[in-house]
Amino acid sequence: MFFPMSYIIFIFTLILGSIISISSSSWFGAWVGLELNMMSFIPLISLKMNSYYSEAALKYFLIQALGSAMFISSGFLSLLFLFISYIFIFLALLLKLASAPFHFWFPQVMEGLNWPQVFLLSTIQKLAPMILLSYLMINIILIKMIIFFSILSAIVGALGGLNLLYLRKIIAFSSINHMSWMMIAISTGDIFWLFYFIIYSLILLSITSMFYNLQTFTLSNLMQSDQNSILHSILISFNFLSLGGLPPFTGFIPKWMLIQMMVNMNLYIPLFFLLLSALITLYFYLRIIIMFILLLNPIMNFNMKYKSLTSNTSLLLKTSFNFIGLLMPIYFLLI
């Protein structure tokens, strides 16, 4: 169990806050939902009396409080200056989403979290702000702004993840990069971004649960893990390739659909930056995978443990989602 049973109430209020935000008919109601969501997540961060967790909780609280203050004041401003208030609400939501150029807090907060909290912060915590962002896509200037910020997020997410040794920071910059793809999908006015979000969440769930089981936080930890086996290394490699969107893994399917959509809408310049950033992110995933490939060499596999496949059935189940993309061509051949 990722969280103690006594913390189930906080998970419930966390999801309830997102639902209140999404279903609200006013900006004030959306703000109440976001506040409930934030105040439920902070106890989940500081599960243990640890200085790292406390620092991450404090950083998260200060940034989210700033975003919430900006959000509610902009909501009241909409009574007088509607368009200006929409711009400020838009910027407040970008701060909450950790989209570039407001991404500075995200890797630092992620560095102080455990893997279950990393998953929550990268997925469920971003759901409500993204849906509120999609409500703003009624003005051509805001649509152009979100395309510009998505290009910026793609570049920052790609370049920020280079030469990092900490897995949580790599996942943080990867999340910023994936955010750019979802923001482009939001700008097209299509509900397709939700499909991308669900696929991304499931891939990230398999990665974070695997790292949680291994209790690894750096690349050296990952290499020296006592539970390392050939199957582990292959599955972790496939997970990262799927997260990078390499065909034929599952992570490629939403990117493929979004590329087709962007070509149809003549969004060639944003598409160029997004594809370039996807190549760079794939490079820093390959840095992790190459180490596993080297350790598969019999001369160098001093730390690998040979285990039966039956002991890793739970691991196979967690990562099986990434192989749906491998089965898709067979499905189309049968049709």
Side-chain angles (χ1 to χ4, degrees), residues 178 181 185 192-200 202-203 238 241-262 271 275 278 320-332:
H178 280 281
W181 289 83
F192 168 70
W193 72 266
L194 198 59
F195 172 69
Y196 191 109
F197 179 81
I198 291 164
I199 297 276
Y200 169 69
L202 290 168
I203 294 168
F238 282 179
L241 290 174
S242 184
L243 190 66
L246 188 78
F249 297 100
T250 309
F252 174 66
I253 297 168
K255 284 189 176 179
W256 180 29
M257 293 167 74
L258 190 56
I259 288 163
Q260 288 182 321
M261 194 186 295
M262 289 173 76
L271 181 59
L275 288 175
S320 60
F321 177 77
N322 294 300
F323 309 125
I324 293 171
L326 291 167
L327 303 173
M328 286 284 280
I330 300 166
Y331 170 73
F332 285 119

Side-chain angles (χ1 to χ4, degrees), residues 119 122-124 196-206:
F119 171 73
S122 300
T123 54
I124 295 169
Y196 191 109
F197 179 81
I198 291 164
I199 297 276
Y200 169 69
S201 301
L202 290 168
I203 294 168
L204 193 66
L205 178 64
S206 64

Side-chain angles (χ1 to χ4, degrees), residues 103-114:
H103 66 283
F104 52 89
W105 63 272
F106 193 63
Q108 294 177 21
V109 170
M110 287 279 256
E111 189 57 31
L113 303 181
N114 205 347

